Amino acid sequence: MKIYMNGKLVPERAAKVSVFDHGLLYGDGVFEGIRSYNGRVFMLDEHIDRLYRSAKAIGLEIPMTKRGMARAVVKTCKANKTMDGYIRLVVTRGVGTLGLNPYLCKRPQIIIIAANIQLYPKKLYSEGLRIVTVGTVRNLPEAVNPGIKSLNYLNNILAKIEAINNGVMEAVMLNGQGSVAEATGDNIFVVKGNQLLTPPVHAGILEGITRNVVMDLAAREGYNVSETTMSRYDLYTADEVFLTGTAAEVIGVVDIDNRKIGDGTPGKVTRGLERHFRKFAKSTGTPIE
Ligand code: PXG
């Protein structure tokens, strides 16, 4: 595998980062996870826009234009012939001293990895996920805003640990007010009749690119889509619940905190949106050739 590092494609074993990089020492940096489908990078500009917003929010100036970054992503996919893949874009604060001061870091480090995708097993989509709500509160927007896709994912990892220790693979985090925020690497939706509900960005979530695509697709399908503050009650009493994210796409949830959702199988609306999303993802994107 060839890794893009600061303007060059280098062999995997040469792709090394300094122990003084503040990405390692402090989780000081930002990232994106992107998919390619059928030789096209899905929602590339949206991911790059979010990366630059995350960087701006932490006062990190990426030493490259957005267009240059888009070209670098495509170049890395091409070099690795990843036509259906998973792309990880990382920008760290760079090499600095052992102290916190980010201004002593000379140059941000830009890394692009284009790997093969590890798809979730088909069975998970047909049977649906069991999840739990957890005690780990989502990062407060006033502290580290969840809109920043930063290299510090401890908040999400702590929630993931709780899920796994409870015998399931995914957790839903609540915000400081006790409202539903999001899963550890996915956004959450509730179906109630013809309504599709998802927490608003101000609930303290990452504004998922899959989320936004699904909201558009669903509105076009005639669903009444709205961003609504929700409590656990709304999850437990939903007709259907599903998660959205770059890796998972659209996946049904059939059990939350040992309460059956709907009839305990992924619902019609969920399966329909799952199909629509895949079809859309395969029909659009920035060509790798
Ligand atoms: N919330 C959080 C906290 C995330 O990290 C999403 C929502 C969904 O956003 P997108 O833009 O992907 O629809 C994410 C994204 C992985 C993986 O390997 C996780 C994400 C993205 C790519 C891969 O688990 N999380």
Side-chain angles (χ1 to χ4, degrees), residues 17-29 92-100 105 151-152:
V17 179
S18 164
V19 294
F20 292 100
D21 192 302
H22 280 210
L24 173 73
L25 289 175
Y26 298 113
D28 188 356
T92 75
R93 188 76 68 178
V95 172
T97 65
L98 284 180
L100 266 75
C105 300
L151 291 181
N152 189 326

Side-chain angles (χ1 to χ4, degrees), residues 33 47 50 86 88 138 149 153 156 182-187 206 208-211 244-247:
H47 281 284
R50 190 170 67 186
Y86 177 68
R88 175 62 57 96
R138 187 71 176 110
K149 203 163 163 62
Y153 250 51
N156 316 55
E182 61 180 335
T184 65
D186 296 292
N187 293 111
L206 182 74
I209 287 160
T210 317
R211 168 192 185 269
T244 64
T246 292

Side-chain angles (χ1 to χ4, degrees), residues 83-251:
M83 298 301 148
D84 285 275
Y86 177 68
I87 303 149
R88 175 62 57 96
L89 190 42
V90 182
V91 183
T92 75
R93 188 76 68 178
V95 172
T97 65
L98 284 180
L100 266 75
N101 191 347
Y103 296 110
L104 298 178
C105 300
K106 290 204 182 67
R107 200 180 158 78
Q109 179 107 237
I110 301 171
I111 300 164
I112 306 172
I113 308 166
N116 287 322
I117 181 87
Q118 294 282 311
L119 288 175
Y120 287 27
K122 275 213 170 83
K123 205 169 151 220
L124 279 187
Y125 294 87
S126 58
E127 292 182 0
L129 285 180
R130 299 179 63 235
I131 65 176
V132 290
T133 59
V134 294
T136 301
V137 171
R138 187 71 176 110
N139 278 341
L140 302 191
E142 299 78 8
V144 181
N145 196 297
I148 302 169
K149 203 163 163 62
S150 89
L151 291 181
N152 189 326
Y153 250 51
L154 268 181
N155 182 220
N156 316 55
I157 290 165
L158 292 176
K160 188 88 169 178
I161 288 170
E162 283 192 75
I164 294 167
N165 289 352
N166 280 287
V168 300
M169 290 308 297
E170 189 52 282
V172 178
M173 287 183 273
L174 308 176
N175 66 18
Q177 279 81 48
S179 301
V180 175
E182 61 180 335
T184 65
D186 296 292
N187 293 111
I188 189 163
F189 284 79
V190 155
V191 180
K192 281 191 180 178
N194 187 47
Q195 289 191 89
L196 207 63
L197 310 171
T198 196
V201 172
H202 64 71
I205 61 167
L206 182 74
E207 185 175 352
I209 287 160
T210 317
R211 168 192 185 269
N212 291 351
V213 168
V214 167
M215 287 170 75
D216 284 349
L217 289 176
R220 252 184 278 157
E221 287 297 301
Y223 294 105
N224 186 349
V225 182
S226 62
E227 298 177 86
T228 310
T229 301
M230 286 186 274
S231 65
R232 292 198 295 179
Y233 169 87
D234 298 295
L235 301 181
Y236 298 153
T237 59
D239 296 338
E240 302 180 25
V241 173
F242 63 84
L243 305 181
T244 64
T246 292
E249 302 176 325
V250 174
I251 191 161

Side-chain angles (χ1 to χ4, degrees), residues 32 34 41-53 66 207-210 212-213 216 280 284-286:
E32 280 295 322
I34 313 173
V41 184
F42 184 57
M43 295 281 141
L44 180 57
D45 290 344
E46 286 77 2
H47 281 284
I48 287 176
D49 283 346
R50 190 170 67 186
L51 180 80
Y52 278 71
R53 282 201 305 275
K66 287 186 181 181
E207 185 175 352
I209 287 160
T210 317
N212 291 351
V213 168
D216 284 349
F280 176 69
T284 181
T286 307

